Amino acid sequence: MATAGHRPNRIHELSQPKRITKGFIEDRHSVYWVDKLPPKPGPDGVTVCVLTPRQQQLVYNKRVHQDYRGDSGVKATPDVFLIRPSPIWPVSGAAKKASASAHVENLARHKPVHRQYMYDRPVQTFIPESAKKVEATPRIEALARAKTYHPLPILDLREWDWSDWNERVPKKALSAHCSGRIEDLARAKTLHRDFSANRPIQWDVAPSAQKAQASARITALALAKARVSLNDEYDPYKVPLGAKHCQATPRVQELAVPLPRKCRQKKIV
């Protein structure tokens, strides 16, 4: 607590409750949400909505144009809305005696059908008498007959015997010889001259490979990387002093520079 004669600290100020501003209105328990209270609440306590002049203008129906004239020739007013009494109205004598021009008569003619247009055929086709009396040719009668199939020479399982084959095969088929082209097609396709078959999983190692000796370079590459000492605490992240004083060559510096087309100067506002 702040003593008398001293300015209260920040914590003391934050601990004070928030003051209610002037003109504060407590929330109304209503189903409506309005920005402000209506000027004249209803006698039963229900919220009365007041329309703006623009809303009142949109409520009215669309008025007839001031220059609109009905069939009777009377000019329409905002208070008078003219409606045609009937779709039939009297025709003037001048309109009855008028004669159409040549262009109007040309436009009044219906559009003719194309000369190659064919109308839909009726559902029931009428056969002419000439088609009823026509006689089919022998060729058409031969084509009209159903095709007859000879039974296939398939033996049942109980009749399947190797000894009966020679008796059932025709003699011409037994003495037939195929042509040279069929013999060429019957031969199996040969492998390419450079084709190498898959090597077996296990194969014999050549004696020369068994007696081979590694060179000094291969022996040096096969050795593990030697450290200074096994007892030293080696730190792989420590940068040596020689690498710290190293300077890049002009070529390396040239390659490190970004491309000019990817460089743009910053805008200073």
Side-chain angles (χ1 to χ4, degrees):
M1 296 295 293
T3 60
H6 293 80
R7 184 181 179 183
N9 54 13
R10 177 61 176 167
I11 298 177
H12 180 71
E13 293 179 0
L14 295 174
S15 63
Q16 299 299 325
K18 188 175 181 181
R19 296 181 180 180
I20 299 176
T21 58
K22 186 178 180 180
F24 174 77
I25 301 176
E26 190 178 359
D27 295 339
R28 300 181 63 210
H29 300 283
S30 174
V31 295
Y32 301 102
W33 184 273
V34 294
D35 297 335
K36 57 183 179 179
L37 294 176
K40 295 180 180 180
D44 53 354
V46 181
T47 304
V48 179
C49 296
V50 181
L51 299 179
T52 61
R54 176 58 178 167
Q55 292 174 345
Q56 292 179 356
Q57 181 183 0
L58 295 174
V59 167
Y60 295 108
N61 58 342
K62 189 175 181 181
R63 302 299 182 92
V64 183
H65 196 270
Q66 57 183 359
D67 296 334
Y68 173 75
R69 295 180 182 274
D71 298 334
S72 60
V74 180
K75 186 176 181 181
T77 60
D79 300 333
V80 179
F81 182 73
L82 301 178
I83 302 176
R84 287 186 176 180
S86 172
I88 303 174
W89 58 88
V91 184
S92 61
K96 294 179 180 179
K97 298 177 182 179
S99 58
S101 61
H103 186 59
V104 174
E105 291 180 354
N106 187 21
L107 294 176
R109 297 188 184 94
H110 62 85
K111 189 175 181 181
V113 185
H114 196 270
R115 59 179 179 273
Q116 297 182 355
Y117 176 77
M118 300 178 65
Y119 292 92
D120 296 338
R121 296 181 61 183
V123 180
Q124 297 178 355
T125 306
F126 297 96
I127 303 175
E129 295 295 334
S130 58
K132 294 179 181 179
K133 298 178 182 179
V134 73
E135 294 182 359
T137 60
R139 176 59 179 168
I140 294 178
E141 291 181 355
L143 294 174
R145 297 190 188 96
K147 189 174 182 181
T148 57
Y149 295 92
H150 298 285
L152 297 177
I154 300 176
L155 301 178
D156 297 336
L157 295 177
R158 56 184 178 81
E159 298 180 0
W160 192 264
D161 193 1
W162 298 94
S163 61
D164 297 340
W165 279 22
N166 294 333
E167 298 180 359
R168 296 179 181 274
V169 178
K171 295 181 179 180
K172 294 183 179 181
L174 294 173
S175 59
H177 298 281
C178 59
S179 61
R181 176 60 179 168
I182 296 177
E183 290 182 354
D184 293 341
L185 295 175
R187 294 190 185 94
K189 188 176 181 181
T190 57
L191 300 176
H192 195 269
R193 60 179 180 274
D194 298 335
F195 173 77
S196 298
N198 297 331
R199 296 181 62 182
I201 300 177
Q202 297 179 357
W203 62 86
D204 299 332
V205 182
S208 57
Q210 296 178 3
K211 300 178 182 179
Q213 294 181 359
S215 61
R217 177 59 179 167
I218 295 176
T219 305
L221 294 175
L223 296 176
K225 188 175 181 180
R227 303 297 180 185
V228 178
S229 177
L230 296 177
N231 298 328
D232 293 343
E233 295 181 357
Y234 176 73
D235 188 4
Y237 301 101
K238 185 177 180 180
V239 181
L241 296 176
K244 294 181 180 180
H245 298 288
C246 181
Q247 295 183 358
T249 60
R251 178 56 179 168
V252 175
Q253 294 180 357
E254 180 183 356
L255 295 174
V257 176
L259 297 176
R261 59 184 175 83
K262 293 185 177 182
C263 298
R264 61 179 182 181
Q265 188 177 4
K266 292 184 178 181
K267 295 181 180 180
I268 301 175
V269 181

